[in-house]
Amino acid sequence: MVDLSTDEESETHHSPESKDDHSSSSNSSSSLEEEFSSIVNIPDAAFIQAARRKRELARTQDDYISLDVKHTSVITGMKKNSGEDPESEPDDHEKRIPFTPQPQTLRQRMADETTPRNEETSEESQEDETQDIWERQQMRKAVKITEGRDLDLSYNSESQTVKKFDTSTSFPPVNLEIIKKQLNTRLTLLQDTHRSHLREYEKYIQDVKSSKSTIQKLENSSNQALNFKFYKSMKIYVENLIDCLNEKIISIQEIESSMHALLLKQAMTFMKRRQDELKHESTYLQQLSRKAETSTNGSLAVGEKTPWILEEIESRRSQRRQARALSGNCDHQEGTSSDDELSSADMIDFQKTQGEILRDHKQIFEDVHDDFCNIQNILLKFQQWREKFPDSYYEAFISLCIPKLLNPLIRLQLIDWNPLKFDAVGLKQMPWFTSIEEYMAGSMEDSKKEDGSDKKILSAIINKTVIPRLTDFVEFIWDPLSTSQTTSLITHCTVILEELSTCGNEVSKGKQDLLKSIVLRVKKAIEDDVFIPLYPKSTIENKTSPHSKFQERQFWSSVKLFRNILLWNGLLPDDTLQELGLGKLLNRYLMTALLTVSPGPDVVKKCSQIAAYLPAKWFQSSAMRMSIPQLENFIQFLLQSAQKLSRSEFRDEVKEIILILVKIKALNQAESFIEECHLDHLKSVIKEV
């Protein structure tokens, strides 16, 4: 220990220059030998104090920059704040730890160059010498750390001062209201914070539940590779299906147009023949009534054709009479039969053309696989999608795509469908209808998927595909004078509109267009096909005269149209039917013909037939005592006829007229007539109502 302290004192005794030289030479083994081998002189206290003052003076003059800035400032502060003896201050070499070798002086470098290296020293002596040097350095570091720790403890103990409470400080007076208000404010803030934390907590709980649900779904879901494979195959299938339909749609449209043109040609043939025959027969009867021959060339040409046309007309009538006689239908009125017979040549030509169209129709999808032309197979593909991945199925709005995809295929099946034929296949018996119903029945969707509901597929197909085709038949092919066509058309329209009503409550544009086309076609038939000639009573009193027969046929033909119009009861609005049947046909044409006929059983029969065709629901109200306004002219004609019959030999027919008045709810007029004519025995007829 004496040697170590002596060594340290000798370091402080050297000048700064010798100290620097010593620090730089300590890196080499030869200089370390000289340092430790030299004689150590212990300086006295006065010398040490003078050295310290010298270093302090150099420090204040900024002769150097200390490396340990923090420790130097602390020591300086300690000197300024406390009057401690400078002897307790540690030396500079104790405060600095050299980390890099310091530069050597010129003398040391020259000594190093001139001093020969002792390369012959044994390895053993070098190891011993190095070990001794390392031990001295470690002991020196231990002494420095101990002295620095004592210095820091003494500084901290003296620098800390105890803060004493200043009794001279004054506080504001205590107010309980202020304290209460502050506490309430604080409580409110805490409550708000608590509520916000609760909301965040609930949100986190929901997020956790959602995450768990998503994790569970992902864990329960099938292999993603299989899902991708399915979606890819479905995408390829739909693309191929669309390409196939786009290629075939042109052929479908051509065949559809050909069939429509064929039926239109047949309908126009019947209509033109009826109008031409009506014109020729009317002209012929006018010539007979005048009993004069035509003088102009045009009229003469017509006259030359007339006998041949009349013979053809009579030939067809005779054939119909024979057919009715064979069937046992003897109660038939001339003019109520449909004149829609074709000649054998025209029938053969029609059937040949129709057969060619249907043959081409079957060949359209001969080169196509059933998966791309069979509606059931197509729906099966989408059904697999709906069963495996319902979420993506409904998100893709497949229910809106299926009607568009199936439109060409359904149109192809409807090419041979004629709703004007009585024996036509109903929609519900068609393959595409049953396939779609089965597909809709297999839908297991809930109420949340109403926008993509499969229940609307059928209604969409009817609106976009069936109703437009049905509208074409009504506008161009339907003959309102044909009872068979009208009955069949009403049957199909009823089925279609009922199906629409079950699929949705909204009124579709297709339905409105269909009803509008029906009304327009009926108006056109009234204007073009209704013709009741007026002849003098002397001419028509003879029931066997051609004038009387022609007028009868035209009257009953108009009654037939009247009946066909009123058959639309339930499909067309009541005010529309009353305007068409009563306003345009009954009051304008039928009443004019009835006024020219003498009262008798024939008039009663005609009036009874007209009243029988009136819809019963128009007169269902038990409190109804007055009939509908459109029947006012008809009621007045009945009353006038009853008055004439009551004074004639046909007074028994008055009861039939009273029954007609009771049927159409003209009770007030019937009672007044009975009172006026003193027909008390007919009061029971009214009481039975």
Side-chain angles (χ1 to χ4, degrees):
M1 292 297 294
V2 174
D3 294 338
L4 289 174
S5 60
T6 307
D7 215 7
E8 292 174 2
E9 293 295 335
S10 63
E11 289 179 4
T12 57
H13 178 72
H14 295 307
S15 62
E17 183 179 355
S18 62
K19 180 180 178 181
D20 293 336
D21 295 339
H22 169 69
S23 300
S24 58
S25 62
S26 62
N27 293 325
S28 61
S29 59
S30 60
S31 60
L32 286 173
E33 256 182 60
E34 294 177 357
E35 178 183 354
F36 286 104
S37 61
S38 62
I39 299 173
V40 177
N41 296 323
I42 299 174
D44 56 359
F47 183 82
I48 293 172
Q49 187 66 24
R52 286 177 178 172
R53 289 177 181 173
K54 184 177 181 181
R55 286 196 303 273
E56 182 65 20
L57 182 60
R59 189 179 292 118
T60 55
Q61 293 178 357
D62 296 332
D63 288 341
Y64 74 101
I65 298 176
S66 175
L67 293 176
D68 193 0
V69 177
K70 181 178 179 180
H71 192 66
T72 306
S73 61
V74 171
I75 299 299
T76 307
M78 290 171 55
K79 284 183 176 184
K80 293 180 180 179
N81 293 332
S82 61
E84 189 180 357
D85 192 1
E87 293 181 0
S88 63
E89 180 185 1
D91 294 336
D92 288 341
H93 69 277
E94 295 177 357
K95 291 183 289 184
R96 292 193 306 273
I97 299 175
F99 293 97
T100 58
Q102 296 184 2
Q104 296 178 346
T105 60
L106 180 60
R107 184 183 302 172
Q108 289 175 340
R109 288 196 298 270
M110 293 174 64
D112 291 339
E113 291 176 359
T114 55
T115 303
R117 298 181 181 272
N118 191 8
E119 297 178 356
E120 297 178 357
T121 307
S122 64
E123 292 182 2
E124 229 177 89
S125 61
Q126 288 181 359
E127 290 178 1
D128 294 341
E129 185 178 348
T130 304
Q131 184 68 21
D132 293 339
I133 294 172
W134 182 83
E135 289 179 359
R136 292 191 188 97
Q137 289 177 350
Q138 294 300 322
M139 293 177 68
R140 191 181 305 159
K141 289 179 181 179
V143 173
K144 291 180 180 180
I145 291 171
T146 303
E147 292 179 356
R149 186 181 301 166
D150 295 340
L151 181 62
D152 291 339
L153 290 176
S154 62
Y155 169 73
N156 291 333
S157 61
E158 293 180 3
S159 61
Q160 291 179 354
T161 57
V162 180
K163 293 184 179 180
K164 296 182 179 180
F165 180 72
D166 190 2
T167 56
S168 62
T169 304
S170 61
F171 294 94
V174 177
N175 191 340
L176 295 178
E177 292 298 330
I178 296 175
I179 296 175
K180 183 178 180 182
K181 184 177 180 181
Q182 292 178 351
L183 291 175
N184 289 333
T185 304
R186 179 62 176 168
L187 179 62
T188 303
L189 293 175
L190 292 175
Q191 290 175 349
D192 293 340
T193 305
H194 178 66
R195 282 192 292 269
S196 65
H197 290 168
L198 286 178
R199 287 193 295 270
E200 292 180 359
Y201 174 75
E202 293 175 356
K203 179 182 177 182
Y204 295 149
I205 292 296
Q206 293 296 328
D207 293 342
V208 170
K209 291 181 179 179
S210 177
S211 301
K212 289 181 179 179
S213 176
T214 304
I215 292 172
Q216 187 175 4
K217 288 181 180 179
L218 292 175
E219 290 177 351
N220 296 334
S221 63
S222 58
N223 191 354
Q224 296 300 322
L226 296 177
N227 297 352
F228 175 76
K229 183 178 180 181
F230 174 80
Y231 284 124
K232 185 177 180 180
S233 63
M234 198 68 193
K235 177 178 178 293
I236 295 173
Y237 172 76
V238 172
E239 289 176 350
N240 294 335
L241 176 62
I242 293 174
D243 293 340
C244 175
L245 295 178
N246 288 335
E247 182 179 349
K248 299 295 184 180
I249 190 64
I250 299 176
S251 302
I252 295 174
Q253 290 175 349
E254 291 177 354
I255 294 178
E256 195 175 37
S257 300
S258 300
M259 181 62 75
H260 180 76
L262 179 64
L263 297 176
L264 178 61
K265 179 182 177 181
Q266 185 186 46
M268 295 302 294
T269 300
F270 291 146
M271 187 179 301
K272 186 176 184 302
R273 186 180 69 182
R274 181 172 63 236
Q275 293 177 354
D276 290 343
E277 291 176 351
L278 179 62
K279 180 180 178 181
H280 284 86
E281 191 170 4
S282 175
T283 303
Y284 173 73
L285 293 175
Q286 287 179 0
Q287 290 176 355
L288 288 179
S289 62
R290 293 174 186 173
K291 295 182 181 181
E293 295 181 358
T294 57
S295 58
T296 60
N297 294 332
S299 300
L300 185 60
V302 172
E304 291 177 354
K305 292 182 179 179
T306 300
W308 176 78
I309 293 175
L310 293 179
E311 289 179 3
E312 186 180 355
I313 295 172
E314 190 61 31
S315 174
R316 293 197 305 271
R317 288 173 184 165
S318 300
Q319 293 177 0
R320 289 194 293 269
R321 291 191 194 102
Q322 292 176 2
R324 287 194 298 270
L326 293 175
S327 62
N329 184 13
C330 299
D331 187 14
H332 180 79
Q333 296 294 333
E334 290 288 342
T336 57
S337 60
S338 298
D339 189 11
D340 53 1
E341 296 89 355
L342 284 174
S343 63
S344 58
D346 292 339
M347 181 62 69
I348 292 173
D349 183 57
F350 175 81
Q351 291 177 352
K352 179 182 178 182
T353 307
Q354 187 180 31
E356 293 176 354
I357 293 174
L358 295 179
R359 185 169 56 253
D360 295 339
H361 151 263
K362 293 180 180 179
Q363 294 176 355
I364 291 180
F365 284 100
E366 278 188 347
D367 58 342
V368 178
H369 194 273
D370 286 345
D371 289 344
F372 298 94
C373 63
N374 189 295
I375 293 179
Q376 188 173 6
N377 292 357
I378 294 173
L379 292 177
L380 184 61
K381 293 285 187 179
F382 289 99
Q383 185 176 356
Q384 294 175 357
W385 185 0
R386 184 177 63 189
E387 291 175 354
K388 291 182 178 180
F389 309 102
D391 293 338
S392 62
Y393 173 86
Y394 291 113
E395 289 174 358
F397 295 97
I398 301 300
S399 60
L400 302 179
C401 303
I402 288 179
K404 296 181 181 180
L405 287 175
L406 301 183
N407 177 270
L409 300 174
I410 295 174
R411 287 169 59 185
L412 189 66
Q413 293 189 22
L414 292 177
I415 286 178
D416 193 25
W417 178 63
N418 189 346
L420 303 179
K421 288 185 177 181
F422 187 74
D423 57 348
V425 180
L427 285 180
K428 291 188 176 181
Q429 285 73 42
M430 290 186 176
W432 66 266
F433 193 95
T434 55
S435 298
I436 293 173
E437 277 192 331
E438 293 175 358
Y439 182 80
M440 290 165 52
S443 176
M444 301 300 293
E445 60 198 354
D446 54 13
S447 59
K448 295 181 180 179
K449 300 183 177 65
E450 292 181 354
D451 293 339
S453 175
D454 288 345
K455 303 299 181 183
K456 298 181 180 180
I457 293 177
L458 186 58
S459 62
I461 291 175
I462 291 175
N463 276 324
K464 301 296 183 182
T465 307
V466 180
I467 288 184
R469 182 163 177 79
L470 196 61
T471 304
D472 290 340
F473 274 96
V474 170
E475 291 180 354
F476 303 105
I477 303 174
W478 173 46
D479 182 11
L481 283 173
S482 174
T483 302
S484 61
Q485 289 187 12
T486 303
T487 305
S488 178
L489 182 62
I490 290 173
T491 302
H492 289 286
C493 288
T494 302
V495 172
I496 290 172
L497 297 181
E498 285 179 354
E499 197 65 38
L500 282 179
S501 63
T502 57
C503 295
N505 297 325
E506 66 276 3
V507 179
S508 64
K509 183 179 181 297
K511 178 181 177 180
Q512 293 177 347
D513 294 341
L514 175 61
L515 298 179
K516 185 179 179 181
S517 64
I518 293 171
V519 173
L520 293 176
R521 184 66 186 90
V522 170
K523 288 182 179 180
K524 188 175 185 299
I526 294 174
E527 295 173 357
D528 297 344
D529 298 326
V530 176
F531 173 70
I532 303 177
L534 300 178
Y535 299 111
K537 287 186 178 181
S538 59
T539 306
I540 62 176
E541 283 178 355
N542 184 8
K543 299 299 181 183
T544 60
S545 66
H547 299 83
S548 177
K549 291 181 179 180
F550 181 68
Q551 188 186 52
E552 284 292 306
R553 284 195 300 269
Q554 292 304 115
F555 176 82
W556 286 109
S557 176
S558 300
V559 172
K560 180 183 178 181
L561 179 60
F562 177 76
R563 175 197 177 190
N564 293 343
I565 292 173
L566 296 182
L567 286 176
W568 290 99
N569 175 43
L571 295 178
L572 294 179
D574 290 342
D575 55 349
T576 303
L577 282 180
Q578 292 172 7
E579 179 188 356
L580 294 173
L582 305 182
K584 293 184 177 297
L585 187 54
L586 176 62
N587 294 331
R588 184 181 299 178
Y589 294 100
L590 298 179
M591 289 303 304
T592 304
L594 289 173
L595 291 173
T596 61
V597 181
S598 300
D602 186 51
V603 172
V604 175
K605 181 181 179 180
K606 292 178 179 178
C607 292
S608 298
Q609 198 66 48
I610 291 173
Y613 294 148
L614 295 173
K617 74 171 189 176
W618 290 358
F619 315 104
Q620 284 181 349
S621 177
S622 59
M624 190 176 181
R625 304 288 297 179
M626 297 287 292
S627 185
I628 56 180
Q630 288 85 347
L631 291 175
E632 186 63 29
N633 294 335
F634 184 62
I635 294 171
Q636 293 300 323
F637 174 77
L638 291 174
L639 293 175
Q640 293 174 7
S641 300
Q643 288 179 353
K644 293 178 182 180
L645 290 173
S646 64
R647 296 190 295 268
S648 68
E649 57 182 346
F650 304 109
R651 86 172 38 96
D652 294 338
E653 301 292 336
V654 175
K655 182 179 180 180
E656 296 296 329
I657 294 179
I658 297 299
L659 290 175
I660 295 173
L661 293 173
V662 171
K663 175 179 172 58
I664 62 178
K665 291 294 182 178
L667 301 179
N668 292 340
Q669 292 91 332
E671 290 176 352
S672 300
F673 173 75
I674 291 173
E675 292 292 338
E676 182 181 351
C677 297
H678 304 287
L679 302 174
D680 296 336
H681 63 284
L682 296 177
K683 290 183 179 180
S684 60
V685 177
I686 300 177
K687 291 180 181 179
E688 291 176 359
V689 179

